[in-house]
Amino acid sequence: MVTENIVCVKCTNVLDRSTIAGVEVDHCPSCGGLWLDRGELEKLGTRSAEELTDLKKILGVDPKVPPVPDDTTIHCPACDGKLREVRFGNILIDFCDSCRGLWLDKGELDSGLKKVQEEGKSVESLLVLAGQIAG
Ligand SMILES: [Zn+2]
Ligand SMILES: [Zn+2]
């Protein structure tokens, strides 16, 4: 459902698309951010560390751009919704209430994966449990 040429939510680059262990992900070649559609973080959480090596590699870019200040309204790259910062484990992720996609800044993937792996629940149910989104 994701349209072509998604622009990064944190900088002005167009996101690259890669298929990692059967999961299609959109990532920013400039700031190392990662856009995941609904359910994709859970899918990545079932893959082995080896299968995710390529993803870690492509996200390991040196940031060329400063991140957007947190009070800026960020439009969802996949729908008409807006992204909202919510707490997910020990990180803050940008979450879309409409399409339930999420954005991970550079370096946040490991924490996000760990959270879904440890809890064995979807991102959505964890956010609902934490009172971060409506059920
Ligand atoms: Zn970017
Ligand atoms: Zn959305």
Side-chain angles (χ1 to χ4, degrees):
M1 69 167 266
V2 175
T3 48
E4 296 306 310
N5 296 332
I6 305 178
V7 175
C8 178
V9 303
K10 293 290 170 87
C11 70
T12 55
N13 262 270
V14 172
L15 300 185
D16 284 343
R17 180 166 296 170
S18 300
T19 302
I20 301 293
V23 184
E24 203 177 63
V25 298
D26 296 283
H27 52 93
C28 180
S30 179
C31 70
L34 177 67
W35 173 256
L36 295 170
D37 290 324
R38 185 183 201 170
E40 286 182 339
L41 185 62
E42 291 86 342
K43 276 190 217 160
L44 290 175
T46 66
R47 305 302 196 264
S48 69
E50 273 151 32
E51 287 177 297
L52 298 179
T53 307
D54 286 346
L55 181 57
K56 302 266 170 76
K57 215 178 282 171
I58 56 179
L59 294 178
V61 295
D62 287 329
K64 296 184 186 75
V65 288
V68 175
D70 286 341
D71 57 349
T72 305
T73 302
I74 301 174
H75 293 278
C76 176
C79 77
D80 290 334
K82 289 188 178 64
L83 300 185
R84 195 161 63 83
E85 230 177 24
V86 296
R87 179 153 289 284
F88 185 64
N90 60 358
I91 53 171
L92 287 171
I93 63 174
D94 297 287
F95 185 79
C96 177
D97 284 314
S98 305
C99 71
R100 313 240 144 165
L102 61 94
W103 178 263
L104 295 171
D105 288 330
K106 179 180 163 69
E108 291 182 339
L109 177 65
D110 280 336
S111 302
L113 283 174
K114 199 161 160 245
K115 183 79 179 158
V116 290
Q117 285 166 342
E118 279 174 357
E119 308 278 347
K121 291 195 174 75
S122 72
V123 173
E124 279 172 69
S125 40
L126 290 170
L127 288 175
V128 171
L129 281 173
Q132 297 281 336
I133 62 169

